Amino acid sequence: MFLRSSLRLMAYRLNVLETHCHLQPKRCKMSFEKPTAGIIIIGDEILKGQTVDTNSHFILKELYLLGVRVERVSVIGDNVDVIASEIAKFSKEYTHVITSGGIGPTHDDITFEGAALAFDETVKPNPELVKLCRKFFGEDKALDSPQLKMAHVPESAKLTYPTNQKTGEKWPYPLISVRNVYIFPGIPKLMERAFSSLKNTLFGGSDVSFHLSEIYLSMTEMEVAHILNSFVAKYENGITVGSYPDLTNSYYKVKITIESTSQSTLDTASNDLKQRLPEGCIVDYDKDPISHAGSAVYALAEEAVELSDKVRNSLTVIEEALDRYPLAEMCAGFTAGKDCTALLHLYYAAVKRKHPEFESQLKILFIESASGTFPDVEKFFKETVKRYNLEQLTVKGRIKDGLRELKQSHPELRAILMGTRKSDPYSESLSPFSPTDPGWPEYMRINPMLDWTYHDVWSFLRTLSLPYCRLYDKGYTSLGSVASTTPNPALRYLSASGEVLYRPAYTLRDGTHERTGRKQSQSSLDVTK
């Protein structure tokens, strides 16, 4: 084993020597004002599709904000020679090299070995790391035990301790770096925690800032290609332009990005492009309406538009509910319908305004239909749970039976927010606070949207750029189970080739036709619309 390792090291040293003789390093192209980076993601499980790499995405976003331009991302397997070769190459080409993965006690955790080989070094027990590992795993652990494998690092390794950003306490295990190579763990939570703690220390201080402008268009990329081509030719050396079609977005068809290290250059170019584009094709789009839901919704409530009164009244009802009930005793009915989507955002905004320190999960109630749900509904439901960081409470069967099950599984719940409108079946006599009917499990139904119309819901969703279920862009105007729901015939039209298509739900002119193509519900507790 020792002979084989020695031969490998000798062969690699010859390769390094040859590389230095024939390749000119690219550092001459760099300056401290324009730092660059290369990212190396290590792991067979990534290459086999067994694990989704989220680390590179996180690192890319963070470095961009620090003014560090990432020029390459590489994904490689657990092979010490490949790791060594990639690290050696990246180290010469970029200001910073960041690796992720391959740190641990098992046979395939070989990033430290690869980093040592890249710089013609060997791995050795680091006294400080040995002490740390033995303190954690036990003083009796031998140097060649799996528990002390992470104490064996390249000879020239530097130890940098992250700190807890809330308490300021030093973490027990440091980040290992060799020259300009920073070796991060592969577990996303650990990597993100270490990177967030050390990013300014290791990669900050750049005089470069990347300024970005994003323009969203209702036209296709083909329709604006000639405009973009002439625009790019004019600003060839001062900006970077990107064009990104999106075939599934409900609001725009193409996103144009303009990037520059000069804010004034960016402003000039951005204004120039807007002047070149056809009138009316630029979409006012908010790419992250959730993060500032509180401020945006309450601002809408104060605007001088017809919808504002409805929003303001709904917020008043929700605020009263929050005064009556602790959050632990409330949940919102949600099954991915448009009304539920609007209700959830109103509820989320009110909670963020009243309890800005609240970081726990809001509860939503999903009554699973025995008739099955659409794949688009299931997909949007999962995305929404993640987007708003929700706790999902699922019950099955008929609504009354589901609520009985909910009463047993979550006896603390007393109130359910509903997206019910008075135009819904069996809802004409409801009030903002309506107890369930006799014979039903006892809950307070909170109905903040009773006076809203079909068009109010769509105006709210699209004014705030809120994501909604894709079925609404396919002609469905009211969603129920698969067995009870079809596209609305009022939105049907024929394409130029004779194909039957449907316009989006928000284009329906007569809101009284909302439930056309939908079998009638049997209860005002039907929260999918």
Side-chain angles (χ1 to χ4, degrees):
M1 180 69 178
F2 176 77
L3 178 59
R4 185 168 58 188
S5 299
S6 298
L7 290 173
R8 175 188 284 165
L9 180 59
M10 185 180 299
Y12 192 78
R13 285 173 174 170
L14 290 173
N15 180 58
V16 169
L17 180 60
E18 182 179 359
T19 300
H20 279 288
C21 290
H22 291 90
L23 293 179
Q24 293 297 321
K26 297 186 178 180
R27 286 195 181 276
C28 59
K29 295 184 179 180
M30 304 176 190
S31 67
F32 289 107
E33 291 76 27
K34 295 184 179 180
T36 60
I39 300 171
I40 304 173
I41 305 298
I42 301 167
D44 287 343
E45 69 277 11
I46 305 293
L47 293 176
K48 295 175 182 177
Q50 297 169 345
T51 299
V52 176
D53 166 41
T54 60
N55 289 345
S56 61
H57 181 248
F58 176 85
I59 297 169
L60 286 164
K61 290 194 301 181
E62 293 292 327
L63 290 179
Y64 183 87
L65 294 174
L66 290 169
V68 179
R69 184 180 296 279
V70 177
E71 298 195 351
R72 182 173 297 180
V73 177
S74 175
V75 181
I76 59 177
D78 299 312
N79 181 296
V80 70
D81 293 319
V82 174
I83 295 172
S85 177
E86 201 78 341
I87 288 177
K89 179 182 178 183
F90 274 46
S91 180
K92 292 191 293 289
E93 294 185 345
Y94 309 121
T95 313
H96 309 294
V97 181
I98 298 167
T99 75
S100 173
I103 302 175
T106 62
H107 68 285
D108 57 351
D109 294 316
I110 52 177
T111 300
F112 289 153
E113 289 86 341
L117 195 58
F119 298 113
D120 197 19
E121 297 182 13
T122 59
V123 293
K124 291 185 176 181
N126 180 285
E128 188 173 340
L129 293 177
V130 169
K131 183 178 179 180
L132 287 172
C133 289
R134 281 182 170 157
K135 180 179 179 181
F136 188 82
F137 294 110
E139 296 294 338
D140 60 336
K141 301 303 178 184
L143 283 176
D144 60 353
S145 65
Q147 290 83 358
L148 264 66
K149 189 174 189 297
M150 290 193 299
H152 293 69
V153 295
E155 298 170 78
S156 64
K158 178 182 177 182
L159 280 55
T160 306
Y161 286 88
T163 56
N164 186 309
Q165 293 179 292
K166 292 184 178 180
T167 66
E169 294 180 8
K170 187 174 71 172
W171 286 6
Y173 191 84
L175 174 78
I176 307 302
S177 60
V178 185
R179 304 189 191 185
N180 64 337
V181 180
Y182 303 91
I183 304 172
F184 284 87
I187 299 174
K189 184 176 181 179
L190 298 180
M191 187 281 300
E192 292 176 13
R193 190 168 64 179
F195 195 96
S196 298
S197 172
L198 295 173
K199 62 183 180 181
N200 291 315
T201 301
L202 301 179
F203 313 115
S206 170
D207 292 333
V208 175
S209 294
F210 297 128
H211 304 282
L212 178 69
S213 175
E214 296 175 327
I215 302 173
Y216 300 90
L217 307 179
S218 60
M219 301 175 68
T220 66
E221 193 175 42
M222 187 65 69
E223 291 173 320
V224 297
H226 64 289
I227 299 175
L228 291 177
N229 290 339
S230 61
F231 171 73
V232 170
K234 177 179 178 180
Y235 294 93
E236 184 175 3
N237 297 321
I239 61 173
T240 300
V241 180
S243 175
Y244 307 98
D246 192 326
L247 302 180
T248 62
N249 193 280
S250 299
Y251 294 92
Y252 69 89
K253 295 180 180 178
V254 180
K255 178 177 74 172
I256 306 299
T257 62
I258 308 173
E259 180 186 317
S260 177
T261 56
S262 165
Q263 183 66 59
S264 60
T265 299
L266 177 67
D267 293 341
T268 299
S270 182
N271 291 331
D272 186 7
L273 178 57
K274 291 176 181 178
Q275 293 295 322
R276 294 168 181 249
L277 291 166
E279 185 177 356
C281 78
I282 297 178
V283 178
D284 184 10
Y285 178 69
D286 184 352
K287 67 179 181 180
D288 186 17
I290 314 302
S291 64
H292 49 267
S295 58
V297 171
Y298 277 84
L300 178 60
E302 298 303 320
E303 290 185 9
V305 294
E306 184 178 353
L307 180 62
S308 297
D309 288 340
K310 306 284 182 72
V311 174
R312 186 162 54 250
N313 292 339
S314 295
L315 290 172
T316 299
V317 172
I318 296 173
E319 288 167 353
E320 182 179 344
L322 292 173
D323 288 335
R324 289 193 190 187
Y325 303 98
L327 285 170
E329 297 179 4
M330 298 173 62
C331 70
F334 185 80
T335 51
K338 62 185 183 300
D339 301 70
C340 299
T341 301
L343 170 74
L344 175 61
H345 199 70
L346 287 164
Y347 180 38
Y348 185 83
V351 170
K352 288 298 183 182
R353 173 61 70 93
K354 187 175 181 63
H355 303 290
E357 74 288 348
F358 181 77
E359 295 183 356
S360 300
Q361 295 176 304
L362 295 178
K363 297 182 178 70
I364 59 168
L365 170 63
F366 174 49
I367 300 178
E368 188 173 330
S369 171
S371 302
T373 55
F374 292 92
D376 279 321
V377 169
E378 293 179 0
K379 181 175 184 292
F380 177 70
F381 190 96
K382 292 177 182 177
E383 292 171 345
T384 302
V385 168
K386 182 177 180 180
R387 189 178 289 122
Y388 287 89
N389 185 32
L390 303 171
E391 179 185 350
Q392 176 183 338
L393 311 179
T394 301
V395 293
K396 298 181 180 181
R398 297 176 62 85
I399 295 175
K400 184 183 289 188
D401 295 334
L403 292 180
R404 288 198 181 103
E405 180 185 336
L406 181 69
K407 183 66 74 173
Q408 293 179 351
S409 61
H410 292 83
E412 77 281 2
L413 291 176
R414 298 170 56 206
I416 304 176
L417 287 112
M418 314 290 292
T420 307
R421 292 181 279 121
K422 285 189 175 180
S423 58
D424 295 333
Y426 313 107
S427 301
E428 300 90 346
S429 61
L430 290 176
S431 61
F433 291 86
S434 297
T436 47
D437 296 334
W440 284 69
E442 291 186 11
Y443 287 103
M444 179 61 73
R445 291 173 290 177
I446 303 170
N447 306 300
M449 300 173 59
L450 288 175
D451 294 330
W452 287 44
T453 67
Y454 176 85
H455 293 108
D456 289 335
V457 174
W458 280 114
S459 178
F460 180 79
L461 295 175
R462 293 190 64 83
T463 296
L464 297 176
S465 304
L466 298 182
Y468 55 82
C469 181
R470 282 283 294 164
L471 286 178
Y472 289 116
D473 288 335
K474 301 176 182 179
Y476 292 82
T477 53
S478 179
L479 301 182
S481 67
V482 173
S484 68
T485 309
T486 60
N488 194 321
L491 296 175
R492 184 170 54 211
Y493 71 98
L494 294 178
S495 68
S497 61
E499 181 183 4
V500 176
L501 300 174
Y502 292 86
R503 295 182 177 87
Y506 63 85
T507 65
L508 182 68
R509 294 182 179 179
D510 187 349
T512 62
H513 292 164
E514 171 187 0
R515 300 179 74 87
T516 303
R518 171 92 182 270
K519 293 181 181 179
Q520 193 172 26
S521 169
Q522 297 182 352
S523 169
S524 64
L525 281 169
D526 176 11
V527 293
T528 310
K529 290 176 291 188

